[in-house]
Amino acid sequence: MPAQHSQHDRSRFDRPEDPFKALGNETRLEILRALYERGQETGAVHEETLPYAELREAVGIEDKGNFNYHLRQLDGAFLESVDEADGGRSGYRLTFAGFEIAKVIDIDAWRSHDVCGPTKLPIGSDADDSPLTAVYEDSVVTVSHDGDPLYAHAVRPAGAADREMELEELLSVASTLWRHTVERILEGICPYCHATVERSLEVGDGPDRYWQYTFGGTCTECGPLGGSHVGVAVLSHPAVVSLFWEHGIDLADWQVWNVPFVTDDAVTVVDDEPTRLRIDVECNVDRLAVFVDDSVRVVDTERLE
């Protein structure tokens, strides 16, 4: 498993006490917008340099002293000054952090929207065949059982509006995004900050657990990232993908809550110390056993007769 970084290691990058203090001004946000929009026009958002005079004109500030003050508040963190000696023309361009902020502003990430759903899904739960329900609320698509969330992923309001708030389409988008997020976690990469993630297998039951066999991920920077049923950990394994492909089925077309082996009935405990699980994957008459260790890695597969 990935080694934990020490607190000293994690602090090797300087962090401002209040990184958003510099953004608490409309003029500074307009500066970021102007650089971002010019980059969008030229197709080079990260590289586009805008000369001082053009940038001031785009923002609409006549007072040079006032404009220079706001530039200084952003310089170094959200934009950088470029000299002709660096190659190209002198001026200002967005840093990576500046691009990220400008992008969020551009897509109206905080845009409010109506609630979409809830609606029942045409699939029963593992526990009692009661229907799963889906809803899009507060920019998150959530699939639940009896009010307990099983799957959840953000879908930007701009993306939801582009799909005319059709919940069926939003479910498809959320499923794809959720798969990608989980794949990063399983590869040991935090989907948010890209720091190291430690994975752990969790076996247990109780009234607060929908599944008995689950995994979780913990980022060295962000902390707990959540997890899912252990069956999800084998979704993209080549042996599993091939099994379904042989029958003309592309697993990528299935929404994760519809995958038949993401269920406790498909899981068997092979070893206790350390924990090793077998997940039985079936497609028509063909069966595949997939073995997962306590770090949520596939360690072996076996075709079953």
Side-chain angles (χ1 to χ4, degrees), residues 78-105:
F78 300 105
L79 59 80
E80 60 183 352
S81 57
V82 180
D83 192 273
E84 290 181 350
D86 298 328
R89 58 180 182 174
S90 61
Y92 292 87
R93 67 187 176 197
L94 293 173
T95 62
F96 178 76
F99 167 79
E100 292 283 284
I101 294 296
K103 184 64 177 178
V104 169
I105 295 172

mmCIF file of all heavy atoms in Angstrom, residues 78-105:
data_model
loop_
_atom_site.group_PDB
_atom_site.id
_atom_site.type_symbol
_atom_site.label_atom_id
_atom_site.label_comp_id
_atom_site.label_asym_id
_atom_site.label_seq_id
_atom_site.Cartn_x
_atom_site.Cartn_y
_atom_site.Cartn_z
ATOM 1 N N PHE A 78 -2.570 33.737 -8.668
ATOM 2 C CA PHE A 78 -3.601 33.461 -9.671
ATOM 3 C C PHE A 78 -3.238 33.973 -11.072
ATOM 4 O O PHE A 78 -3.870 33.584 -12.052
ATOM 5 C CB PHE A 78 -4.929 34.069 -9.223
ATOM 6 C CG PHE A 78 -5.407 33.503 -7.917
ATOM 7 C CD1 PHE A 78 -5.310 34.234 -6.742
ATOM 8 C CD2 PHE A 78 -5.931 32.228 -7.854
ATOM 9 C CE1 PHE A 78 -5.739 33.707 -5.532
ATOM 10 C CE2 PHE A 78 -6.368 31.685 -6.658
ATOM 11 C CZ PHE A 78 -6.265 32.425 -5.487
ATOM 12 N N LEU A 79 -2.239 34.831 -11.145
ATOM 13 C CA LEU A 79 -1.703 35.225 -12.447
ATOM 14 C C LEU A 79 -0.223 35.506 -12.288
ATOM 15 O O LEU A 79 0.289 35.657 -11.184
ATOM 16 C CB LEU A 79 -2.455 36.429 -13.027
ATOM 17 C CG LEU A 79 -2.512 37.751 -12.250
ATOM 18 C CD1 LEU A 79 -1.231 38.550 -12.416
ATOM 19 C CD2 LEU A 79 -3.685 38.588 -12.730
ATOM 20 N N GLU A 80 0.471 35.541 -13.428
ATOM 21 C CA GLU A 80 1.903 35.807 -13.392
ATOM 22 C C GLU A 80 2.266 36.794 -14.482
ATOM 23 O O GLU A 80 1.658 36.817 -15.554
ATOM 24 C CB GLU A 80 2.693 34.516 -13.564
ATOM 25 C CG GLU A 80 2.422 33.781 -14.864
ATOM 26 C CD GLU A 80 3.175 32.470 -14.951
ATOM 27 O OE1 GLU A 80 4.014 32.220 -14.070
ATOM 28 O OE2 GLU A 80 2.935 31.696 -15.896
ATOM 29 N N SER A 81 3.236 37.622 -14.176
ATOM 30 C CA SER A 81 3.715 38.585 -15.164
ATOM 31 C C SER A 81 4.755 37.912 -16.045
ATOM 32 O O SER A 81 5.548 37.088 -15.582
ATOM 33 C CB SER A 81 4.306 39.809 -14.467
ATOM 34 O OG SER A 81 5.346 39.429 -13.584
ATOM 35 N N VAL A 82 4.718 38.248 -17.318
ATOM 36 C CA VAL A 82 5.625 37.644 -18.287
ATOM 37 C C VAL A 82 6.439 38.755 -18.939
ATOM 38 O O VAL A 82 5.890 39.771 -19.374
ATOM 39 C CB VAL A 82 4.832 36.864 -19.371
ATOM 40 C CG1 VAL A 82 5.795 36.245 -20.371
ATOM 41 C CG2 VAL A 82 3.965 35.797 -18.719
ATOM 42 N N ASP A 83 7.747 38.552 -19.010
ATOM 43 C CA ASP A 83 8.637 39.522 -19.631
ATOM 44 C C ASP A 83 9.004 39.046 -21.031
ATOM 45 O O ASP A 83 9.032 37.849 -21.301
ATOM 46 C CB ASP A 83 9.912 39.685 -18.786
ATOM 47 C CG ASP A 83 10.735 40.877 -19.226
ATOM 48 O OD1 ASP A 83 11.563 40.698 -20.141
ATOM 49 O OD2 ASP A 83 10.534 41.978 -18.675
ATOM 50 N N GLU A 84 9.276 39.984 -21.934
ATOM 51 C CA GLU A 84 9.660 39.631 -23.290
ATOM 52 C C GLU A 84 10.881 38.729 -23.310
ATOM 53 O O GLU A 84 11.069 37.919 -24.220
ATOM 54 C CB GLU A 84 9.929 40.897 -24.111
ATOM 55 C CG GLU A 84 8.680 41.695 -24.427
ATOM 56 C CD GLU A 84 8.993 42.921 -25.254
ATOM 57 O OE1 GLU A 84 10.193 43.231 -25.407
ATOM 58 O OE2 GLU A 84 8.051 43.559 -25.749
ATOM 59 N N ALA A 85 11.732 38.848 -22.284
ATOM 60 C CA ALA A 85 12.939 38.023 -22.222
ATOM 61 C C ALA A 85 12.594 36.543 -22.062
ATOM 62 O O ALA A 85 13.406 35.671 -22.368
ATOM 63 C CB ALA A 85 13.821 38.478 -21.066
ATOM 64 N N ASP A 86 11.363 36.259 -21.558
ATOM 65 C CA ASP A 86 10.937 34.879 -21.388
ATOM 66 C C ASP A 86 10.469 34.270 -22.709
ATOM 67 O O ASP A 86 10.130 33.100 -22.776
ATOM 68 C CB ASP A 86 9.794 34.796 -20.364
ATOM 69 C CG ASP A 86 10.236 35.271 -18.989
ATOM 70 O OD1 ASP A 86 11.419 35.073 -18.670
ATOM 71 O OD2 ASP A 86 9.396 35.823 -18.256
ATOM 72 N N GLY A 87 10.441 35.072 -23.755
ATOM 73 C CA GLY A 87 9.938 34.606 -25.042
ATOM 74 C C GLY A 87 8.511 35.046 -25.236
ATOM 75 O O GLY A 87 7.667 34.840 -24.369
ATOM 76 N N GLY A 88 8.215 35.672 -26.360
ATOM 77 C CA GLY A 88 6.862 36.159 -26.576
ATOM 78 C C GLY A 88 6.717 37.579 -26.068
ATOM 79 O O GLY A 88 7.682 38.268 -25.732
ATOM 80 N N ARG A 89 5.465 38.023 -25.974
ATOM 81 C CA ARG A 89 5.225 39.404 -25.563
ATOM 82 C C ARG A 89 5.048 39.500 -24.059
ATOM 83 O O ARG A 89 4.664 38.542 -23.389
ATOM 84 C CB ARG A 89 3.991 39.951 -26.269
ATOM 85 C CG ARG A 89 2.714 39.160 -26.035
ATOM 86 C CD ARG A 89 1.580 39.803 -26.790
ATOM 87 N NE ARG A 89 0.317 39.106 -26.571
ATOM 88 C CZ ARG A 89 -0.851 39.549 -27.029
ATOM 89 N NH1 ARG A 89 -0.905 40.686 -27.700
ATOM 90 N NH2 ARG A 89 -1.956 38.869 -26.798
ATOM 91 N N SER A 90 5.318 40.687 -23.516
ATOM 92 C CA SER A 90 5.180 40.892 -22.077
ATOM 93 C C SER A 90 3.721 41.145 -21.729
ATOM 94 O O SER A 90 2.921 41.564 -22.565
ATOM 95 C CB SER A 90 6.038 42.089 -21.640
ATOM 96 O OG SER A 90 5.600 43.272 -22.290
ATOM 97 N N GLY A 91 3.397 40.857 -20.487
ATOM 98 C CA GLY A 91 2.020 41.047 -20.037
ATOM 99 C C GLY A 91 1.701 40.120 -18.893
ATOM 100 O O GLY A 91 2.582 39.813 -18.070
ATOM 101 N N TYR A 92 0.460 39.655 -18.852
ATOM 102 C CA TYR A 92 0.010 38.795 -17.756
ATOM 103 C C TYR A 92 -0.718 37.582 -18.322
ATOM 104 O O TYR A 92 -1.386 37.654 -19.362
ATOM 105 C CB TYR A 92 -0.918 39.568 -16.818
ATOM 106 C CG TYR A 92 -0.219 40.659 -16.042
ATOM 107 C CD1 TYR A 92 -0.082 41.943 -16.585
ATOM 108 C CD2 TYR A 92 0.331 40.400 -14.798
ATOM 109 C CE1 TYR A 92 0.583 42.932 -15.888
ATOM 110 C CE2 TYR A 92 0.981 41.389 -14.096
ATOM 111 C CZ TYR A 92 1.110 42.652 -14.642
ATOM 112 O OH TYR A 92 1.775 43.637 -13.949
ATOM 113 N N ARG A 93 -0.590 36.472 -17.611
ATOM 114 C CA ARG A 93 -1.319 35.266 -17.974
ATOM 115 C C ARG A 93 -1.734 34.532 -16.703
ATOM 116 O O ARG A 93 -1.181 34.750 -15.615
ATOM 117 C CB ARG A 93 -0.474 34.359 -18.865
ATOM 118 C CG ARG A 93 0.743 33.743 -18.196
ATOM 119 C CD ARG A 93 1.588 32.999 -19.209
ATOM 120 N NE ARG A 93 2.823 32.476 -18.602
ATOM 121 C CZ ARG A 93 3.878 32.073 -19.299
ATOM 122 N NH1 ARG A 93 3.855 32.145 -20.625
ATOM 123 N NH2 ARG A 93 4.953 31.618 -18.682
ATOM 124 N N LEU A 94 -2.694 33.641 -16.844
ATOM 125 C CA LEU A 94 -3.209 32.901 -15.703
ATOM 126 C C LEU A 94 -2.227 31.823 -15.249
ATOM 127 O O LEU A 94 -1.586 31.174 -16.071
ATOM 128 C CB LEU A 94 -4.530 32.223 -16.070
ATOM 129 C CG LEU A 94 -5.736 33.116 -16.351
ATOM 130 C CD1 LEU A 94 -6.894 32.271 -16.874
ATOM 131 C CD2 LEU A 94 -6.158 33.872 -15.093
ATOM 132 N N THR A 95 -2.111 31.653 -13.937
ATOM 133 C CA THR A 95 -1.446 30.469 -13.407
ATOM 134 C C THR A 95 -2.451 29.323 -13.445
ATOM 135 O O THR A 95 -3.618 29.509 -13.807
ATOM 136 C CB THR A 95 -0.995 30.693 -11.958
ATOM 137 O OG1 THR A 95 -2.165 30.933 -11.138
ATOM 138 C CG2 THR A 95 -0.051 31.878 -11.849
ATOM 139 N N PHE A 96 -2.015 28.131 -13.067
ATOM 140 C CA PHE A 96 -2.952 26.997 -13.030
ATOM 141 C C PHE A 96 -4.092 27.286 -12.064
ATOM 142 O O PHE A 96 -5.260 27.031 -12.366
ATOM 143 C CB PHE A 96 -2.230 25.711 -12.607
ATOM 144 C CG PHE A 96 -3.151 24.527 -12.498
ATOM 145 C CD1 PHE A 96 -3.616 23.888 -13.635
ATOM 146 C CD2 PHE A 96 -3.572 24.078 -11.251
ATOM 147 C CE1 PHE A 96 -4.477 22.798 -13.525
ATOM 148 C CE2 PHE A 96 -4.428 23.002 -11.141
ATOM 149 C CZ PHE A 96 -4.879 22.354 -12.284
ATOM 150 N N ALA A 97 -3.767 27.828 -10.876
ATOM 151 C CA ALA A 97 -4.807 28.154 -9.893
ATOM 152 C C ALA A 97 -5.762 29.204 -10.453
ATOM 153 O O ALA A 97 -6.981 29.127 -10.245
ATOM 154 C CB ALA A 97 -4.170 28.644 -8.593
ATOM 155 N N GLY A 98 -5.213 30.198 -11.164
ATOM 156 C CA GLY A 98 -6.063 31.223 -11.759
ATOM 157 C C GLY A 98 -6.995 30.643 -12.801
ATOM 158 O O GLY A 98 -8.168 31.032 -12.891
ATOM 159 N N PHE A 99 -6.474 29.716 -13.606
ATOM 160 C CA PHE A 99 -7.314 29.045 -14.605
ATOM 161 C C PHE A 99 -8.446 28.274 -13.936
ATOM 162 O O PHE A 99 -9.600 28.318 -14.384
ATOM 163 C CB PHE A 99 -6.467 28.090 -15.451
ATOM 164 C CG PHE A 99 -7.285 27.152 -16.282
ATOM 165 C CD1 PHE A 99 -7.866 27.575 -17.468
ATOM 166 C CD2 PHE A 99 -7.493 25.844 -15.869
ATOM 167 C CE1 PHE A 99 -8.637 26.708 -18.233
ATOM 168 C CE2 PHE A 99 -8.270 24.971 -16.624
ATOM 169 C CZ PHE A 99 -8.834 25.403 -17.808
ATOM 170 N N GLU A 100 -8.134 27.547 -12.852
ATOM 171 C CA GLU A 100 -9.152 26.754 -12.157
ATOM 172 C C GLU A 100 -10.271 27.652 -11.622
ATOM 173 O O GLU A 100 -11.453 27.327 -11.749
ATOM 174 C CB GLU A 100 -8.514 25.979 -10.998
ATOM 175 C CG GLU A 100 -7.572 24.874 -11.438
ATOM 176 C CD GLU A 100 -8.323 23.645 -11.917
ATOM 177 O OE1 GLU A 100 -8.840 22.901 -11.072
ATOM 178 O OE2 GLU A 100 -8.395 23.430 -13.141
ATOM 179 N N ILE A 101 -9.899 28.786 -11.029
ATOM 180 C CA ILE A 101 -10.895 29.715 -10.505
ATOM 181 C C ILE A 101 -11.727 30.302 -11.632
ATOM 182 O O ILE A 101 -12.967 30.357 -11.570
ATOM 183 C CB ILE A 101 -10.224 30.847 -9.702
ATOM 184 C CG1 ILE A 101 -9.566 30.287 -8.430
ATOM 185 C CG2 ILE A 101 -11.237 31.928 -9.342
ATOM 186 C CD1 ILE A 101 -10.537 29.690 -7.428
ATOM 187 N N ALA A 102 -11.072 30.731 -12.707
ATOM 188 C CA ALA A 102 -11.783 31.342 -13.830
ATOM 189 C C ALA A 102 -12.725 30.339 -14.486
ATOM 190 O O ALA A 102 -13.819 30.698 -14.926
ATOM 191 C CB ALA A 102 -10.780 31.874 -14.855
ATOM 192 N N LYS A 103 -12.315 29.084 -14.547
ATOM 193 C CA LYS A 103 -13.162 28.056 -15.142
ATOM 194 C C LYS A 103 -14.417 27.848 -14.321
ATOM 195 O O LYS A 103 -15.525 27.720 -14.860
ATOM 196 C CB LYS A 103 -12.377 26.739 -15.254
ATOM 197 C CG LYS A 103 -13.151 25.622 -15.958
ATOM 198 C CD LYS A 103 -13.430 25.974 -17.407
ATOM 199 C CE LYS A 103 -14.134 24.859 -18.139
ATOM 200 N NZ LYS A 103 -14.455 25.222 -19.540
ATOM 201 N N VAL A 104 -14.271 27.809 -13.007
ATOM 202 C CA VAL A 104 -15.426 27.655 -12.124
ATOM 203 C C VAL A 104 -16.399 28.812 -12.309
ATOM 204 O O VAL A 104 -17.622 28.632 -12.356
ATOM 205 C CB VAL A 104 -14.982 27.545 -10.654
ATOM 206 C CG1 VAL A 104 -16.164 27.659 -9.712
ATOM 207 C CG2 VAL A 104 -14.259 26.221 -10.424
ATOM 208 N N ILE A 105 -15.854 30.026 -12.428
ATOM 209 C CA ILE A 105 -16.697 31.202 -12.658
ATOM 210 C C ILE A 105 -17.407 31.080 -14.004
ATOM 211 O O ILE A 105 -18.609 31.341 -14.124
ATOM 212 C CB ILE A 105 -15.856 32.489 -12.620
ATOM 213 C CG1 ILE A 105 -15.279 32.711 -11.219
ATOM 214 C CG2 ILE A 105 -16.698 33.695 -13.040
ATOM 215 C CD1 ILE A 105 -14.281 33.848 -11.153
#
